[in-house]
Amino acid sequence: MSAARQTSPQPPSNWIVLKFGGTSVSTAARWQSVAEIATARLADASTRVLIVVSALAGVTNQLQNLADGASGGECSAILSTLRRAHEELALALGLDARELLQPHWQRLDQLLEASDGSRGLAWQAEMLAQGEILSSSLGAAWLYKAGLPVAWIDARDWLVSQALPNQNEWSHRLAAVCGAEPDAGWQSRFDAQTSRALITQ
């Protein structure tokens, strides 16, 4: 019988993860609730908070329609709906909608201008990612304005998907699985973030 492998215990984490779905981030009142919950958690000086948010309610379905090939009037209508929802939320939060959102609309336009030959699974994955990028960017700007020590980070810089046996490319890109094993190096890098609170998609 071989001896059991000895592993060093992971130091306890002082991070609390708060996850909010689409309905919970779709109005100014709901964002006020997010701020209150995060503020209550941060009252303990030893605690750090990671806020994870979904896209605004209904946005991912609209982006999926764009990715599925909506064109002409249908595409314009979807884009108008997306812009209106995010700009109205930005205004309700007292943010400069144009300054904050214009770079995101430009990126969405660039994606839609891609040739048919470039619209593979990587393109589709980035298209669908725009909803969470929009909502988390809006949230980061407002929470910071509200006085929370928060910074936006891109989840794509931190999560690494794992290829599984018999997993096809579609699953790898659009239904990714990430490892959940403790990683002291990863934790150390994450703990090095200067803000006590982070928000991500």
Side-chain angles (χ1 to χ4, degrees):
M1 177 184 291
S2 59
R5 186 177 63 177
Q6 298 296 314
T7 58
S8 300
Q10 276 295 108
S13 172
N14 61 345
W15 287 95
I16 291 176
V17 179
L18 303 175
K19 171 65 173 70
F20 298 95
T23 303
S24 299
V25 296
S26 292
T27 68
R30 295 297 178 87
W31 273 106
Q32 182 62 48
S33 296
V34 172
E36 291 171 359
I37 293 169
T39 298
R41 294 294 193 173
L42 289 168
D44 180 345
S46 67
T47 295
R48 303 182 73 180
V49 171
L50 174 63
I51 301 167
V52 182
V53 298
S54 297
L56 304 191
V59 164
T60 300
N61 288 338
Q62 293 167 335
L63 291 169
Q64 184 65 65
N65 289 337
L66 290 176
D68 287 342
S71 59
E74 183 185 4
C75 181
S76 296
I78 293 172
L79 288 173
S80 294
T81 300
L82 288 171
R83 287 175 183 264
R84 184 168 59 252
H86 291 88
E87 288 170 1
E88 287 178 355
L89 178 57
L91 291 172
L93 293 170
L95 300 172
D96 185 333
R98 177 174 176 78
E99 178 181 0
L100 186 61
L101 296 173
Q102 190 59 29
H104 300 293
W105 301 140
Q106 290 174 346
R107 181 56 187 151
L108 194 53
D109 287 341
Q110 290 171 353
L111 288 167
L112 289 170
E113 289 167 3
S115 64
D116 289 344
S118 301
R119 295 190 176 195
L121 290 172
W123 174 88
Q124 185 176 354
E126 186 171 359
M127 174 68 75
L128 296 181
Q130 298 309 304
E132 282 83 5
I133 292 173
L134 279 161
S135 62
S136 58
S137 297
L138 274 173
W142 184 75
L143 291 171
Y144 185 81
K145 180 183 175 182
L148 269 73
V150 66
W152 183 85
I153 61 169
D154 192 336
R156 296 171 297 181
D157 292 335
W158 291 94
L159 300 180
V160 179
S161 62
Q162 297 179 334
L164 300 178
N166 301 318
Q167 185 181 38
N168 59 28
E169 187 184 357
W170 186 95
S171 298
H172 186 61
R173 290 193 181 274
L174 300 177
V177 174
C178 297
E181 292 299 316
D183 184 326
W186 190 101
Q187 181 176 324
S188 223
R189 293 192 302 275
F190 201 76
D191 286 344
Q193 301 296 304
T194 56
S195 297
R196 279 192 64 207
L198 301 172
I199 184 170
T200 193
Q201 72 276 35

